[in-house]
Every structure is written in C-alpha cells, then in structure tokens.
Amino acid sequence: MAVGKWSSSDKALSLLLLVISCASCASGITHIVGDSSGWNLNVNYDQWAASQTFVTGDILEFRYSSSQHNVEEVNAGDYTACSSSNPISQQANGNTTVLLSGVGTRYFICGISNHCNSGMRVQVNVTASSTASPPPPASSAPAPTNNNNNNNNNNNNNAGILSPVHAAAVVCAGLLVVGLGVF
C-alpha cells in the first residue's frame, strides 16, 4: 500500500472504529454514590442525590467495603420501611454498578444490620435523556430580577453550557463528519 492511500478495508475499519468510539462518547455519565465518601454510614444521601441529575443511560456506582455493607434495590414501600426482606436485587461485591435504563424512581438501601435506619439509603429520580434541549418558555414579561447577586450569579453559571453527554455527542458528530471526509 502506498503512503497516503487508504484501501477499502482501511476505510471500513476506520469508520467502524469511529462509530464505536462515538457510541461510547454519547453514553451516560457515572455517578459515584456519595462522591468521595462512597456507600457508607454518616453520609447524607438525600443531599447527595438532590445535587445530581440522573438520566436514562447513566450509571450509579456504589463503592463500599463488601465485609461491612451491601446494596439492595427495593421497592418504595421497603425503602420507606427500611426492609430488606424482599429485595429486587442484592449485591455485596464492594463495587456495584447499576445502569439507569428507564425513567422513574429507583430505591437502594444497605440491608446490613441497622444501616438503612441510620441513613444508608438513597432514591434516585431518573428522567429521559434528550439529545435536544427543550426550547425556552415563551414569555412576554421580563425575567424576574434578584437583588442577591450571589444567587443570581449561581443561577446563571450554567447558561449556555452543554451537559457532558451532549458535549460528547457534538464532538463525536464532528469526528464522524471529519472521518467521513477522508473517504
């Protein structure tokens, strides 16, 4: 093969690799439950979950000591009662990952001893992922102003910023267009 020339098989292989890499770029993000604290006692999981946005395709990763904790997915009633008598699933491998494949609320507890009653439980509300941002609401009235500059600045910090999933999809689409240009 001459330098600078692409054979048909080289082009096909390159296109296949580009498509595979784009698919992995557009997948959801991984949420490490409890961030650096992991799945442990003395972590406020309600506060942690409230600071996250969960969409279909995202992954929950529970990091914990398998000799001290487990992860049980339960229904809403068992979550409220901290009951592990009828779990939907149960893992105790120390590094449990859960794909958030559908829209709805998912419930997880630690079924060891009294850990759930001590706060080792989390519920996540999963929304549909979207490849397009919804249009802004139509309004003829001016946006309300807030005299508290800190709150106003915090509310506007993310204006115009793509989510990691959307940014990855844009980058991958660009790579695909550039990749197709070599054919």
Side-chain angles (χ1 to χ4, degrees):
M1 177 171 82
V3 176
K5 301 285 183 175
W6 286 62
S7 71
S8 295
S9 61
D10 289 338
K11 290 178 184 179
L13 180 60
S14 297
L15 182 59
L16 177 63
L17 292 173
L18 189 60
V19 169
I20 290 170
S21 62
C22 284
S24 66
C25 284
S27 64
I29 62 171
T30 298
H31 301 271
I32 299 171
V33 178
D35 293 325
S36 62
S37 297
W39 186 236
N40 259 312
L41 292 167
N42 303 316
V43 177
N44 186 333
Y45 292 106
D46 291 337
Q47 184 178 12
W48 173 82
S51 72
Q52 309 291 311
T53 300
F54 304 100
V55 298
T56 55
D58 284 357
I59 295 171
L60 292 180
E61 184 175 330
F62 293 83
R63 295 180 180 173
Y64 56 97
S65 169
S66 60
S67 65
Q68 296 177 351
H69 305 295
N70 70 5
V71 176
E72 296 182 2
E73 183 168 5
V74 296
N75 64 34
D78 287 344
Y79 177 83
T80 301
C82 277
S83 172
S84 62
S85 62
N86 190 26
I88 296 166
S89 68
Q90 182 180 29
Q91 298 290 320
N93 62 11
N95 191 17
T96 299
T97 57
V98 177
L99 173 64
L100 302 176
S101 58
V103 173
T105 304
R106 308 267 302 261
Y107 304 93
F108 302 91
I109 65 172
C110 179
I112 304 295
S113 188
N114 202 26
H115 292 185
C116 178
N117 286 320
S118 297
M120 252 183 107
R121 63 186 189 163
V122 64
Q123 74 177 32
V124 297
N125 300 311
V126 184
T127 59
S129 64
S130 171
T131 56
S133 299
S139 173
S140 59
T145 58
N146 186 338
N147 290 334
N148 184 339
N149 288 335
N150 289 337
N151 285 343
N152 201 22
N153 288 341
N154 288 340
N155 290 338
N156 292 327
N157 280 345
N158 293 328
I161 296 175
L162 292 174
S163 73
V165 172
H166 292 130
V170 169
V171 169
C172 286
L175 288 172
L176 187 57
V177 168
V178 170
L180 290 174
V182 301
F183 298 111

